[in-house]
Amino acid sequence: MSLFKKYLSDSETLFKNETALDPNFTPKKIQFRESENEYIVTCIKPLFQNRYGKNLIIYGPPGIGKTLACIKIKEELEETTDDILVFYINLWKKNTQYKIILELCAQLDYKFIQNKSADELFQIIKSKINQKSTVFILDEIDKADSLEILYSLMEDIYKKTLILITNDKNFIYKLDPRLKSRLLPDNLEFKPYSQIEIQKILKNRIELAFHVGVFPNNNLNIVTTKTYESADIRKGLFLLRESGLIAESQSLKQISSKHIEEALAKLETSNKPLNLDIDEKKIFKIISSNPDRTTQEIFNLYQKEGNKSERTFQRKLKTLEKANLIELESMNIQGRHYKIKLRNSKSKDF
Ligand SMILES: Nc1ncnc2c1ncn2[C@@H]1O[C@H](COP(=O)(O)OP(=O)(O)OP(=O)(O)O)[C@@H](O)[C@H]1O
Ligand SMILES: [Mg+2]
């Protein structure tokens, strides 16, 4: 008990609000995305006049505020009007038509889902949704197992805006022409922040997260530089939080550059693929010795070794992609045909 005593009182922690460093924290104000926000609003605007909204594909690399911008739009819409429904679904997590429909039910607060098929449920929620205008924000759209839901939404929901978020700038070109001609989406690119913008975003988080004087200004440069190298703001948030925890564990009142270096070392270690399971390691090895093959070709090699079902294979493949070890360059989204590319820096560590 005495071991923990000094951390129990408020005065002993370096953090004023540790949550402000959580990647899922939504800051009150989003800086440097004014024109992107305007663009999104323009697509939704017709819904306010009970007209058809415009569909939009938002694309750009990881950690540059695409999800944040859309979450903020959702919050503001919900504060502004009751006439427009807003759904946000991450298709990495809800990757099948059925899971997506269940999620729509949950967000509509519709609970009578037992013993009903996906089709039956969709018919029910369709009539509820069509009583209003609707914005569907479908995040990580390229991670969905199938895009069937898009057909259903396009065909059966009247007044709507679909916002599809992806890292893949070529997503639109890979869509089935029938879907493309139904969606007719606008494209909005989110570009990485400049170094100065990253610095200002992180400074703002430091002010929210730490007590005054805990994070000396001169340490901000190294965190900014490291974040800028990857463009991913999450990296900066991790370094801030981790260096704070390290300083705190040493009962120090200020974060030094040494703590940031330790946090950086931790980040490098956690990026190594040490915690892959046996199948993931096996698949990764096959991919490493057979670069630039298609998913089908890799699956055939994997099966030759007496391995599991295609479903398991697909799941493991996505884990490798999420761990940034490989890149799935899709050739045809509907058929789930991908070329598998190795991400160089990571594969060396393996
Ligand atoms: N302009 C900004 N102001 C404040 N925080 C920001 C800003 N842009 C991004 N962030 C923060 O950076 C982190 C990553 O942002 P977000 O999750 O929106 O990235 P993303 O572009 O959706 O990435 P991914 O493609 O990996 O999903 C979040 O914690 C978010 O709050
Ligand atoms: Mg995102």
Side-chain angles (χ1 to χ4, degrees):
M1 191 64 196
S2 59
L3 267 178
F4 298 105
K5 217 168 180 180
K6 61 175 175 267
Y7 300 116
L8 290 178
S9 81
D10 254 5
S11 58
E12 291 290 339
T13 175
L14 302 185
F15 295 96
K16 185 164 68 181
N17 177 12
E18 196 179 339
T19 318
L21 299 177
D22 189 303
N24 296 321
F25 173 81
T26 310
K28 272 211 176 81
K29 194 173 159 356
I30 306 178
Q31 288 172 289
F32 314 118
R33 288 295 182 212
E34 287 82 3
S35 63
E36 288 85 350
N37 282 341
E38 278 295 318
Y39 200 105
I40 302 171
V41 168
T42 317
C43 295
I44 296 171
K45 219 166 116 190
L47 298 180
F48 279 89
Q49 289 130 11
N50 211 17
R51 289 169 40 219
Y52 297 100
K54 251 178 170 295
N55 299 320
L56 179 67
I57 294 182
I58 293 179
Y59 66 93
I64 59 163
K66 301 182 299 299
T67 298
L68 176 66
C70 291
I71 294 284
K72 206 69 189 172
I73 292 273
K74 178 177 189 293
E75 282 181 6
E76 295 210 5
L77 258 178
E78 286 170 342
E79 270 171 34
T80 315
T81 175
D82 288 330
D83 299 333
I84 302 177
L85 291 168
V86 195
F87 295 96
Y88 170 88
I89 304 182
N90 186 315
L91 300 201
W92 172 265
K93 293 171 188 154
K94 314 280 174 198
N95 57 349
T96 65
Q97 166 102 336
Y98 185 56
K99 283 187 198 162
I100 294 166
I101 291 174
L102 282 185
E103 182 59 26
L104 291 172
C105 291
Q107 291 188 27
L108 271 174
D109 213 13
Y110 178 76
K111 296 200 173 69
F112 307 103
I113 54 172
Q114 255 77 37
N115 306 322
K116 290 194 180 85
S117 68
D119 268 357
E120 285 168 323
L121 286 172
F122 189 72
Q123 292 310 317
I124 295 168
I125 54 172
K126 178 178 110 177
S127 58
K128 289 183 186 292
I129 293 172
N130 274 332
Q131 287 166 16
K132 298 192 176 186
S133 299
T134 310
V135 177
F136 295 95
I137 303 166
L138 303 177
D139 204 349
E140 310 217 33
I141 184 76
D142 46 316
K143 304 295 188 304
D145 274 3
S146 112
L147 295 180
E148 221 180 314
I149 190 71
L150 294 185
Y151 287 94
S152 310
L153 298 179
M154 288 312 296
E155 296 284 305
D156 292 331
I157 306 294
Y158 310 133
K159 308 269 169 58
K160 63 188 174 288
T161 286
L162 259 60
I163 301 177
L164 312 178
I165 310 175
T166 174
N167 293 135
D168 182 359
K169 66 172 189 293
N170 294 319
F171 179 78
I172 178 73
Y173 304 113
K174 296 168 192 161
L175 281 177
D176 183 288
R178 284 172 306 142
L179 190 53
K180 213 187 303 184
S181 67
R182 282 177 172 83
L183 277 169
L184 290 175
D186 276 17
N187 279 294
L188 175 61
E189 179 180 10
F190 271 54
K191 294 205 168 86
Y193 295 113
S194 70
Q195 196 151 349
I196 290 177
E197 288 170 341
I198 290 180
Q199 185 153 36
K200 287 189 175 157
I201 290 170
L202 294 177
K203 194 162 191 297
N204 183 271
R205 293 293 180 95
I206 289 170
E207 281 161 13
L208 292 172
F210 294 114
H211 289 294
V212 177
V214 166
F215 196 96
N217 256 339
N218 54 348
N219 283 337
L220 185 55
N221 281 341
I222 175 159
V223 179
T224 304
T225 309
K226 291 292 169 191
T227 308
Y228 181 66
E229 283 168 9
S230 70
D232 188 336
I233 300 283
R234 287 188 203 103
K235 184 165 183 173
L237 296 177
F238 174 88
L239 291 175
L240 293 178
R241 180 168 178 270
E242 204 54 40
S243 57
L245 290 173
I246 294 167
E248 199 175 75
S249 72
Q250 297 168 3
S251 303
L252 296 170
K253 292 205 155 57
Q254 217 176 41
I255 295 166
S256 70
S257 56
K258 203 170 148 286
H259 299 135
I260 296 168
E261 273 158 30
E262 275 184 55
L264 261 170
K266 200 162 175 183
L267 188 69
E268 301 295 328
T269 319
S270 67
N271 273 344
K272 284 188 185 167
L274 294 176
N275 48 3
L276 298 180
D277 72 19
I278 293 173
D279 279 303
E280 286 153 3
K281 282 184 184 162
K282 240 188 221 174
I283 296 172
F284 187 71
K285 277 219 165 100
I286 298 174
I287 295 171
S288 304
S289 20
N290 299 279
D292 286 341
R293 299 285 189 89
T294 63
T295 31
Q296 190 58 47
E297 288 167 335
I298 297 293
F299 177 63
N300 291 345
L301 292 168
Y302 173 66
Q303 253 199 340
K304 255 192 200 157
E305 295 183 9
N307 292 303
K308 296 183 183 129
S309 69
E310 182 157 11
R311 226 185 157 75
T312 314
F313 172 76
Q314 292 289 355
R315 217 178 41 243
K316 305 284 176 194
L317 214 54
K318 284 196 175 173
T319 311
L320 294 177
E321 189 193 23
K322 198 68 180 170
N324 237 348
L325 290 166
I326 59 166
E327 195 176 340
L328 295 178
E329 199 184 274
S330 78
M331 294 150 73
N332 166 344
I333 283 177
Q334 273 69 26
R336 279 204 276 149
H337 289 302
Y338 297 97
K339 192 176 255 185
I340 307 177
K341 302 214 160 213
L342 278 172
R343 284 202 188 265
N344 291 332
S345 59
K346 298 285 174 56
S347 45
K348 279 194 224 112
D349 297 335
F350 195 72

